[in-house]
Amino acid sequence: MDGASVKAVISNDRPAALAEEAAAWLRAFESALRDRDPGALAALFQPDCHWRDLLALSWSVRTTSGRDAVVGRLLGSVCAESIALKSPRDFRLLADRTPPRELRRAGEQVLEVLFAFETSVGPCEGVLRLRADDDAPGTPRCAWTLMTTLDAIRGHEEQYRRGRPRGAIDPRDFREPNWLDRRLQDAAYLERDPTVIVIGAGQAGLSIAARLRQLSIDTLVVDRHERVGDNWRNRYHSLTLHNKRAFNHLPYLPFPDTFPDYIPKDMLAGWFEYYAQAMEINVWSGTEFLGASRDELARQWEVRIRRADGTERIMRVGHLVMATGVSAMPIPAVIEGLERFAGTVMHSGQYRSGEAWRGRHAVVIGTGTSGHDVAQDLQANGAQVTLVQRSPTMVQNVEPTAQLPYAMYEEGPSLADCDLVSVGTPMALMRRASQLANPIALELDRSLIDGLKAAGFRIDEGTDGIGWQLKYQMRGGGYYFNVGCSDLIVKGLIKVLQSDQIAGFEPGGLRLSDGSLREADLIVTATGYLGQSEMAARLLGDDVAARIGPVWGIDEVSQELRNMWQQTPQPGLWFLAGSLAQCRIYSRHLALQIQATELGLMAEAAAR
């Protein structure tokens, strides 16, 4: 998430001077914005600067790069009109937060500043990074990166900020319904429809539902699983998160300190179930979303859903949030000749445990995280395992290498400050930081990588020099954090085949190009998942999917993930997905946009 170099080098030996330097820049920026002075604005930015705005000075999620482009956008007709209406003012350092500090980000020495300001819409926050001009020593530092983000809509803040109303019913009145009675009635939707339907009760669905609940926006989550958390609970037996607890909290309710650093799937599933109850989220489990059509004139979706008891319900809602995950549906294995195999074939999404395959031969096709984890689970249960590699894979040890991008979350700043710094890291800096960190990661894991190569495993050392974080942003996978499977490969306890070594399939296994037979009783196809575009087509139709275009992956114009946590070309349709941290962070921005649309502050995108 954070585009910082491997570890920030901090120097806080002159805090008062740093604070005054930061405050002076903020005052100058406020003045230049107010006066609409292009020369004064240009003087505040580096030529290679970046400005990322998330709803603060415009109603968009967008990054602009280059001084001329940044100044042009700030003063351009659309953005300038929005800025004039929002009247940004009172730029100041964030009180009681991480103070201005000198450190290195993406290889550059900067002064990093967390700040706040006000607009006519509401309070805002931001991150500023000032960098010296090497060609003009002695001149004031100018902005290398600027991020501005809306924090809340004034008068419509989250319930907990306003002081939660007790309502008309005194909970101590024994004659009235108690909390549970009221919760069950609220979640039944007997005489009303919600404003928002969220599809999926994983980390994305729960995060956005919790945010919307706090904004008093009536929200229903529908999920096909029997229980909240089943999307994790029903996965393979050994599954554990591969990044640490400090990075993975959900909104409002952090994991207890007693939880392990790497949370097991069943513990996470239980926490999701508790979270839904504690955050008073309305969830219909065992419910199938059958489809929806949009009435653009009424600005409503007509949604068809089937409950667990087989009854169907039609609801009319203003907004749909697709929260089905970056990897939404298993990709059916289309492997020539596989139908000739007489044993068991399953996708990794169907795999649960290797216990039934003890002493038997198993082949796993695919070397992403799922492929490695399934292979390791099978081997641990006594199966003889072969892993088939189709393309080079990036591999990093889960400790310490894969955790380096998260170091900030364990170094001392609060979770709120870490999240703000992460949001304040534009994609260009993330790319540069990734390119700088990748050689360090390769060196840290050199012995493992050399061992894998010797075992016949092909290593992706980073296309264009980027590491796993950018791979995830670009394609949602293509890497593996080693939690033991790579060591088994190096030791020869899990065999590796390249896909071009397979001549074909036979009833008893794989016929190799050298004429030998690799026996198999089980073939697991870890061939990945279809994304949210395909899920949208399945649930909402091909026309809607074509209208919105690709979901996930980096848009080169906006420098943001495509159609994620922002308006899509289809009015009333929103997407939220990603890691637990991404869902925690960006659910706030998505919720604010839905709220702003409902309040008439933000116009819906025109259908096209």
Side-chain angles (χ1 to χ4, degrees):
M1 292 294 298
D2 173 34
S5 53
V6 173
K7 187 170 182 178
V9 179
I10 302 172
S11 172
N12 274 335
D13 55 343
R14 47 193 185 96
L18 297 180
E20 176 51 36
E21 181 182 0
W25 190 96
L26 292 171
R27 289 193 298 268
F29 181 64
E30 180 175 347
S31 176
L33 268 185
R34 182 184 61 245
D35 297 341
R36 298 198 59 195
D37 186 337
L41 279 172
L44 294 171
F45 289 91
Q46 293 284 354
D48 59 343
C49 65
H50 310 276
W51 169 40
R52 189 183 194 200
D53 186 51
L54 297 97
L55 316 177
L57 300 182
S58 65
W59 282 114
S60 63
V61 176
R62 187 181 181 90
T63 299
T64 303
S65 296
R67 179 166 57 198
D68 291 345
V70 167
V71 172
R73 184 177 170 215
L74 286 168
L75 299 180
S77 59
V78 175
C79 194
E81 181 180 355
S82 177
I83 291 172
L85 290 172
K86 291 190 172 185
S87 304
R89 60 194 181 277
D90 192 18
F91 284 76
R92 63 198 184 277
L93 301 181
L94 267 172
D96 302 321
R97 302 282 287 274
T98 302
R101 53 184 185 161
E102 290 183 317
L103 40 69
R104 296 188 71 82
R105 295 292 191 203
E108 298 282 352
Q109 186 73 16
V110 299
L111 173 59
E112 185 171 87
V113 182
L114 308 187
F115 66 93
F117 62 103
E118 303 294 325
T119 71
S120 59
V121 174
C124 299
E125 295 179 340
V127 178
L128 167 69
R129 295 187 182 95
L130 299 175
R131 190 190 70 191
D133 188 344
D134 293 336
D135 297 329
T139 59
R141 287 187 275 197
C142 296
W144 183 35
T145 72
L146 174 68
M147 186 279 295
T148 49
T149 180
L150 179 66
D151 184 52
I153 296 175
R154 190 175 291 105
H156 303 276
E157 295 85 358
E158 293 168 311
Q159 289 181 15
Y160 81 93
R161 297 189 186 188
R162 290 180 272 138
R164 181 170 177 157
R166 296 178 64 185
I169 299 175
D170 188 332
R172 294 168 296 182
D173 189 337
F174 291 5
R175 298 167 300 174
E176 298 291 347
N178 68 6
W179 173 85
L180 179 59
D181 295 331
R182 297 195 299 274
R183 285 291 303 123
L184 292 173
Q185 183 180 12
D186 188 53
Y189 289 96
L190 294 178
E191 298 179 355
R192 75 187 199 284
D193 291 340
T195 302
V196 181
I197 283 183
V198 177
I199 307 169
Q203 61 258 29
L206 295 178
S207 294
I208 185 61
R211 298 281 192 189
L212 291 169
R213 177 86 182 181
Q214 284 297 309
L215 295 176
S216 303
I217 296 175
D218 197 352
T219 302
L220 170 65
V221 181
V222 298
D223 192 279
R224 61 185 175 83
H225 291 103
E226 182 179 348
R227 294 168 58 190
V228 173
D230 276 354
N231 63 319
W232 287 93
R233 188 180 290 111
N234 293 341
R235 297 174 71 182
Y236 50 89
H237 183 74
S238 58
L239 178 63
T240 298
L241 293 185
H242 288 179
N243 44 32
K244 288 187 176 181
R245 167 175 48 85
F247 181 67
N248 283 325
H249 304 295
L250 294 178
Y252 310 115
L253 193 60
F255 293 115
D257 291 340
T258 55
F259 272 34
D261 276 343
Y262 299 101
I263 301 175
K265 71 175 182 75
D266 296 290
M267 184 178 246
L268 184 65
W271 182 258
F272 278 13
E273 199 163 33
Y274 166 73
Y275 183 88
Q277 182 186 59
M279 298 309 300
E280 300 181 302
I281 297 171
N282 293 338
V283 182
W284 283 5
S285 300
T287 298
E288 184 179 0
F289 185 96
L290 299 175
S293 59
R294 177 77 174 179
D295 182 340
E296 296 297 352
L297 189 61
R299 296 169 59 189
Q300 283 189 328
W301 293 94
E302 185 175 280
V303 177
R304 295 183 300 113
I305 52 181
R306 180 184 294 126
R307 300 296 306 276
D309 61 4
T311 61
E312 293 190 11
R313 173 84 179 263
I314 293 178
M315 289 180 160
R316 290 172 176 82
V317 303
H319 306 270
L320 290 179
V321 179
M322 298 280 292
T324 53
V326 176
S327 304
M329 297 183 293
I331 298 175
V334 182
I335 301 174
E336 185 178 356
L338 182 60
E339 70 279 0
R340 291 194 289 270
F341 175 61
T344 300
V345 177
M346 68 175 70
H347 189 274
S348 59
Q350 301 169 295
Y351 179 85
R352 296 294 177 267
S353 171
E355 187 175 355
W357 304 99
R358 185 179 304 276
R360 304 172 75 182
H361 296 85
V363 172
V364 180
I365 300 176
T367 52
T369 297
S370 295
H372 277 87
D373 281 355
V374 169
Q376 186 173 354
D377 188 75
L378 284 162
Q379 194 277 336
N381 279 280
Q384 299 180 49
V385 185
T386 297
L387 192 59
V388 176
Q389 187 173 30
R390 299 179 299 162
S391 59
T393 306
M394 177 171 283
V395 176
Q396 292 186 351
N397 278 316
V398 71
E399 286 273 10
T401 319
Q403 305 307 312
L404 293 177
Y406 309 131
M408 175 178 63
Y409 282 82
E410 295 188 295
E411 289 174 354
S414 68
L415 181 66
D417 286 1
C418 289
D419 284 352
L420 193 61
V421 170
S422 292
V423 172
T425 303
M427 196 66 69
L429 261 71
M430 186 178 287
R431 177 179 291 274
R432 180 59 181 151
S434 181
Q435 290 170 334
L436 291 171
N438 194 46
I440 298 172
L442 291 171
E443 193 56 35
L444 284 171
D445 294 333
R446 180 54 56 193
S447 61
L448 175 69
I449 290 170
D450 289 345
L452 286 170
K453 289 180 178 178
F457 191 95
R458 290 187 294 156
I459 293 290
D460 175 1
E461 297 195 357
T463 306
D464 296 329
I466 64 172
W468 70 265
Q469 274 190 303
L470 264 293
K471 279 187 173 297
Y472 180 64
Q473 305 277 17
M474 293 164 62
R475 50 178 288 196
Y479 57 87
Y480 167 62
F481 295 166
N482 176 38
V483 292
C485 187
S486 295
D487 303 286
L488 297 173
I489 293 171
V490 170
K491 294 174 183 177
L493 298 176
I494 291 178
K495 306 298 182 184
V496 175
L497 281 176
Q498 296 300 321
S499 58
D500 59 9
Q501 294 178 270
I502 301 173
F505 294 87
E506 297 183 4
L510 286 65
R511 182 65 62 182
L512 305 186
S513 53
D514 64 4
S516 64
L517 179 70
R518 184 65 56 93
E519 292 182 66
D521 301 294
L522 167 70
I523 293 179
V524 179
T525 59
T527 47
Y529 293 79
L530 297 172
Q532 294 183 97
S533 297
E534 289 80 7
M535 180 62 80
R538 175 179 171 183
L539 296 180
L540 304 174
D542 292 337
D543 289 345
V544 170
R547 186 175 302 133
I548 60 175
V551 181
W552 202 259
I554 300 169
D555 178 77
E556 296 300 326
V557 176
S558 69
Q559 301 181 65
E560 303 288 344
L561 290 177
R562 294 177 296 198
N563 283 310
M564 294 300 302
W565 42 78
Q566 59 184 299
Q567 285 200 97
T568 71
Q570 171 58 62
L573 180 62
W574 313 83
F575 290 86
L576 182 67
S579 67
L580 275 79
Q582 284 176 302
C583 294
R584 175 184 73 245
I585 293 170
Y586 290 105
S587 58
R588 181 167 69 90
H589 303 97
L590 176 50
L592 283 171
Q593 289 173 86
I594 292 175
Q595 183 186 42
T597 303
E598 287 297 297
L599 293 172
L601 299 173
M602 176 177 160
E604 286 187 335
R608 58 182 187 270

